[in-house]
Amino acid sequence: MSAQLALDFVRHSAQTSRRKSLSQSEDDSMKLYGTTGAGSVAPQAALTHIGADFELKMLDFKKEEHLAPEFLAINPRGQIPALVLDDGTVITESAAVLLHIADMHADSGLIAAPGTTTRAQTYRWMAFLATNVYEGMLRYMYPEHYTTEEKHDGVVASGEQVLSRAFAILNDTLDGRPELVENFSVADIYMAMLFYWHHDLPALTAELPHLQPAVDNTLSKPGISDVFSQNGLI
Ligand SMILES: N[C@@H](CCC(=O)N[C@@H](CS)C(=O)NCC(=O)O)C(=O)O
């Protein structure tokens, strides 16, 4: 735990208890916890695209700052992204974080109105990306978390299979269209992040030609490519 993170946490706790009597200050701002290049990239890109006021709190995974008690008090799972709203509410799980960012800024158009089929399709792809692609990536990159066996080859292979099937479905969906639903949405930002995590992008893009144009479309939206670049994804 860095002294800075500890200080931030103390500030956050103090602020939570005093919040009702405080006017808006720097300490009250929304905070996104993340680490470079990881699951916080999509929320950071969405918030930047929207022009939201937020503070980015980068954790050093090498120093295990995500496992320090101060961060576990925010997300007991010890994972990023975690979004702390200005009223102290914590939102974890990348899909939920992104959907809430879109809802907080309805005028950004990153999600369609409640009850519409376009919005339902956004839910569909957000859940699909979280449970197939994100999960497949973790399986492929951190197989030791998915088995008690010494050898991880089978887990890596199953991760690869899950990713192939999921990206093929996304590719088919993007045949003839630049976006996963009717309009540009948080699902496109989420997919672009996951796309750049792929272990063999040349092979993926050669085999599934509709992914890269959709990702390029996402990168062309205001603010997005800067965040992807800062995070080393492009
Ligand atoms: N289901 C979670 C997964 C988040 C996740 O696995 N984040 C990684 C970084 S990309 C992490 O924090 N890993 C640390 C750990 O699991 O110990 C989500 O969608 O937010």
Side-chain angles (χ1 to χ4, degrees), residues 68-137:
E70 291 83 352
F71 184 65
L72 293 177
I74 293 170
N75 183 5
R77 186 64 183 80
Q79 291 181 331
I80 61 88
L83 186 69
V84 182
L85 303 182
D86 54 14
D87 72 352
T89 305
V90 175
I91 305 177
T92 63
E93 296 301 323
S94 50
V97 168
L98 282 164
L99 287 166
H100 188 63
I101 289 170
D103 269 344
M104 280 192 297
H105 301 270
D107 53 343
S108 69
L110 286 180
I111 191 157
T116 59
T117 51
T118 305
R119 188 183 178 99
Q121 290 295 330
T122 307
Y123 289 156
R124 172 193 178 189
W125 291 118
M126 294 301 286
F128 181 88
L129 290 163
T131 58
N132 292 276
V133 186
Y134 205 138
E135 199 56 23
M137 291 288 178

Side-chain angles (χ1 to χ4, degrees), residues 1-2 5 58-61 63-68 71:
M1 164 68 30
S2 73
L5 179 64
M58 291 306 240
L59 303 185
D60 187 338
F61 271 38
K63 293 185 185 155
E64 300 201 332
E65 287 183 344
H66 59 303
L67 301 177
F71 184 65

